Amino acid sequence: MLKGSFSAELDTEVRNRKILVFISCVLFAFLILSGRLFYLQYIRYEENYQNSENNRQRKVVLKAERGSIFDRTGKVLVRNRPSYQVVISARELKDKDSVFARLLNIRDAAGERVFDSATVDTAFQRSRWIRNRPLRILEDASPEQAALIEERAMDLPGVMTVVESRREYPYETMAAHVFGYTGELSEEELKKEEYQSYSLGDRLGKKGLEQQYEEEFRGRDGMKYVEVNAYGREVGLIQGMETQEAIPGHHLITTLDFDIQAAAEAAFPDSMRGAVVALDPRTGEILAMVSAPRLDPNIFSLRRRERNKGWAQVALDTTHPLTNRAISGVYPPASVFKLVSAGAGLEYGFVRPTTHMSKPCTGGYQFGSRYQRCWGTHGSLDLVNALRLSCDTYFYQLGLLMGMEPINEFGRRFGLGSVLGVDIPGERSGWLPDSVSFNARNKRSGWRWTRGLILNLSIGQGQLVTPLQEAALVGGIATGKGVYEPHLMKEIRDVDHELVMRYIPSKVHQGEMKPETHQMLLDAMDSVVNHPGGTGRRAALPGIRVGGKSGSGEWKKGEKTHAWFVSVAPLDNPQIAVATVIEAAGGGGAQAAPVCRKVMEAYFKKYPAVKEVQP
Amino acid sequence: MKNSVRLLDNTTKIDWFFLLLVFVLMGCGLALVYSATMNSSEEWIKSYWFRQALHFAAGTLIAFLFVFVKIDYWKKIAFPFYFVVLLSLIYTTFGGGTTTNGAERWIDLGFFRMQPSEFAKIAFLLALSSWLSKHRVSLSQPKTLIVPMLIFIFPFLLVLKQPDLSTALVFTSVTLVSLFWAGFSLRELFLFVSPALSVLLSFSYIPYNQFFWGLLIVMVGILLFKMRFPVKLSVILVCLNLIAGYADDLVWNSLEDHQKERVDTFLDPMKDPRGVGYQVIQSRVAIGSGGMLGKGFGNGTQTNLSFLPEEHTDFIFSVLGEQFGFVGCVFILGLYFLFLWRGISICWLHSDRFVNLVVASACTIFLFHIVVNIAMTLGMMPVTGLPLPFLSYGGSFVFTCMMLVGLLMNMRYHGDELDVNYK
């Protein structure tokens, strides 16, 4: 091409070649694209298809509804409430920065921020490596907050509200120690073998019935396969993938009676510490169980911050509200134990009901160089009157006469010194000391068994018993037909209230004794309540023959005594046995007996006393 | 040509087969936009497919208006139009107009949001073609390249600044093809782009980049020697290549953040599977899951469940791939091939330089869009944001395409009037 020889017309041959070059380029490019298409759509088809399916398919766990707890008449005591959780799903979370900003800008009607920036930030950080499960950014949101999130759903890809069910205790502190509470499984716990069937975020029963009957309450989680869109929202079920419905947990019908429990709770204000146990001595059914100070198990269903606050409050409380004093609190049985001492004396033939001791009560008893005091001056008494007036001097001598072995043996017949097997965890066995176990226990401190200890032990200072054991003891003595395993589970029913399981009472201690012994102990308990001068007159009920025994346990010099009262009614055919202990309250007859009376009152208002039917 | 079917007759003034192809492609586009957006709850009058249909109708009208313009008129308005577009580009680049997504810039005209970079494609095409049709270019005489390079460099830099890398690359490809058509041989073209290739090869992302670069330098040397290039020029070219070979950092730093990110994620989409890489992965999965025959119209799970981002605009090809599979994709590629073939065939009819240049440039714009967009959806190229002609949703781009179609038809219709000048 020379300079100047420029024509507006192209050389045909050159032009044709260029057109061919252009068309070859097009062909070449399209062939490469087709090759790539072939690779993606034919060779890698399976993999890509699977990816697209995985994109839209999610396995959703259908949480089983936890079973509720009812009282023996069918009144609901513990139930579930819906609880909204706001979660983020890492797989759907796009454009984290703007979602983060939007979340923090959400304010409720009061102008308060709904989300806590630290919590959300942590969850966002964690979402980088935890991609297969949702992470919670707001726990137990109010319905108003949940609605706020749902309204903005389209602006918040990957943010969802899910409904969980949480425990609700409508009567708050009532029988809280019996029910226990539920708590979320921690990640550490989840690694353990026994929690293999749980998944993260599951709540399980801790303490009380919630723990004991966890397997029954739990039910079985179901599963469904859903199609989701890119925002992680469900658009429908996937055909061909079967849905496994969740099987709701079983309901528990407790032996508790709402009215009796309420009466016991009312009779035992939170200002007092101690416990009340009422049971049916014929079957071992626990009708009421109170432990004070109380706690409100609802705090364990709150969101984390409030939960921790409530938890700290009860855990650090020096009065130990977390302890169920009815089964885990051990106290010296005090004068109540005189029933055992007297029973042992009769059973082994050391004394008869009319036996007087060698020394009358002059306000105390001289043992060697020690003068052991009595709480009053009673003169010379027979056994029945000694029990009625709770004369220490009489029992010092009775104890010395027998030694500890017959006393402890008689006590064991009614389950003292061992666990009774109540169906909530935490029961303690108490302690019936004799020379061997005393020396074994005090090995380290070097204290040795001396005969002088019998003086204290024979009036119940030194043993350890739980209120539950005391109730079982008095019930067993009154019926004379042995001690039944105390229990709280009456029936287990499925979600449609069809019977699944019924508790069959079982005798755990024979409680055998001679008829004379039985009769004498009945007379003594009768006289404690119904005779003038009896220590338990405040437990008397009009028209019903109530038996009982008071006790005032010394536990610390200079402090008021623990007030004990055990009662049983009606004496001729016992239907209810009640044990009350009030810590550091004073005399048992004055302080604890009215509590027992109120409980029995509530019982007989509902269930009339029946005359014993002779076979 | 006696035996050829009337439809394919190259002597007709209007290429009915070409027009048919355009309408078939438009129909496919409407169907795909409909299926991509069928989930939105808008009423039909506001829906994407209906608006797209309106765009097509208006575009067709423009195309038919273009057909009847005298070719001389194009030459006359080429430069004024070019300068007007340049001014509006300057206006939008330096702060004017409104932006969406950080990249596309608009001038809101009230009834229509104009995207100057779209019109710049046409203005640039006309201006360059009009200059090159009157002036000779040769690589051995660099002076002849000054004006074409000036025409190229202003809009190029302006859209690059916006930043709109893809449109800038459209200008580049059009310039190269125009130079080729205007007289460059393939060898000259190779020498001309060799510095740019050097820059590309300086990036260590490309496997064996040092080796290829060495090969390039050697080839440049051999070509320069064989073509008996002037010594001075040869030295400059080789030096340029050598310098360019070490320019990777410089170029890399001049890229905008989102462009770097896109290149990064192109190289490794899994790096950010929720961000930019997300689009690439989802698009690949969508196409791949279509298989041979596809999931059927309206059954694309990726599309319907909105896993695909911008599915109705830049990623419309994945919608096609998912629903119609390999067969559907190859069918559309076939349509595009026929379309480009009928387009470039206009050059067979006329030997006028301007006509040839306009036709070749217009076809290049189409080809570049088609190849880059499809390659992007297939995960072969970085996500650039170039739409697919006739299939992608978008007003400005539909108008650009239809103007180009109008230009092509116009060249065929009026080209022979110029031919008589030379006979």
Side-chain angles (χ1 to χ4, degrees), chain B residues 49-236:
Chain B
W49 68 267
F50 183 71
R51 295 212 306 246
Q52 181 76 339
L54 289 182
H55 293 151
F56 278 143
T60 311
L61 205 68
I62 295 171
F64 274 97
L65 287 177
F66 271 33
V67 174
F68 303 106
V69 176
K70 291 255 185 226
I71 290 184
D72 284 334
Y73 184 69
W74 291 125
K75 293 184 184 172
K76 263 182 218 150
I77 67 149
F79 278 97
F81 184 35
Y82 175 78
F83 286 117
V84 168
V85 168
L86 214 54
L87 280 177
S88 64
L89 268 182
I90 291 169
Y91 171 70
T92 51
T93 305
F94 295 101
T98 30
T99 87
T100 50
N101 299 336
E104 295 150 35
R105 284 171 180 275
W106 313 85
I107 294 176
D108 209 331
L109 298 178
F111 59 96
F112 180 67
R113 293 198 299 179
M114 191 187 81
Q115 213 179 344
S117 61
E118 287 298 333
F119 293 93
K121 288 172 188 167
I122 290 173
F124 170 70
L125 175 156
L126 287 174
L128 191 66
S129 301
S130 135
W131 175 267
L132 288 176
S133 66
K134 289 186 195 110
H135 302 85
R136 195 165 54 85
V137 285
S138 167
L139 189 62
S140 50
Q141 289 164 302
K143 275 183 206 162
T144 59
L145 290 173
I146 291 174
V147 178
M149 281 302 105
L150 283 177
I151 295 174
F152 161 70
I153 206 77
F154 285 115
F156 176 80
L157 288 180
L158 283 171
V159 291
L160 201 59
K161 181 89 183 33
Q162 279 201 357
D164 186 354
L165 183 65
S166 42
T167 307
L169 289 175
V170 171
F171 292 149
T172 315
S173 65
V174 168
T175 310
L176 291 177
V177 171
S178 295
L179 287 175
F180 179 56
W181 236 264
F184 269 40
S185 66
L186 276 178
R187 286 187 286 191
E188 278 177 301
L189 209 59
F190 174 73
L191 288 176
F192 184 66
V193 298
S194 63
L197 287 177
S198 288
V199 173
L200 210 63
L201 285 175
S202 67
F203 287 103
S204 50
Y205 297 112
I206 300 165
Y208 308 115
N209 65 320
Q210 293 292 330
F211 168 75
F212 283 120
W213 185 58
L215 205 69
L216 180 86
I217 300 287
V218 171
M219 277 172 70
V220 168
I222 293 172
L223 277 179
L224 286 173
F225 181 73
K226 276 190 82 176
M227 290 165 73
R228 293 161 199 232
F229 235 64
V231 180
K232 216 162 101 187
L233 254 175
S234 302
V235 172
I236 292 174

Side-chain angles (χ1 to χ4, degrees), chain A residues 28 186 346 485 525 594:
Chain A
F28 179 67
S186 68
L346 288 166
E485 187 175 71
M525 288 200 286

Side-chain angles (χ1 to χ4, degrees), chain A residues 7 18 36 55 91 230, chain B residues 180 274 282 302 305 353 378:
Chain A
S7 140
K18 292 190 171 174
R36 174 77 175 174
N55 246 347
R91 291 170 74 168
Chain B
F180 179 56
R274 275 287 132 178
Q282 293 298 343
Q302 292 274 304
L305 304 173
R353 277 173 178 273
L378 295 178

Side-chain angles (χ1 to χ4, degrees), chain A residues 3 6-10 15-16 18-19 30 36-38 41-42 45 52 55 91 93-94 228-230, chain B residues 134 136 180 184 274 282 287-288 291 302 305-307 321 326 333 347-348 350-351 353 356 378 422:
Chain A
K3 229 176 186 174
F6 182 75
S7 140
E9 197 179 13
L10 271 172
R15 185 202 61 193
N16 289 356
K18 292 190 171 174
I19 293 173
F30 280 20
R36 174 77 175 174
L37 277 169
F38 187 74
Q41 298 185 310
Y42 186 74
Y45 169 67
S52 83
N55 246 347
R91 291 170 74 168
L93 192 62
K94 281 168 242 169
V228 297
N229 64 13
Chain B
K134 289 186 195 110
R136 195 165 54 85
F180 179 56
F184 269 40
R274 275 287 132 178
Q282 293 298 343
I287 293 178
Q302 292 274 304
L305 304 173
S306 35
F307 283 103
F326 184 69
L333 276 182
C347 290
W348 296 106
H350 312 296
S351 41
R353 277 173 178 273
N356 266 274
L378 295 178
Y422 317 119

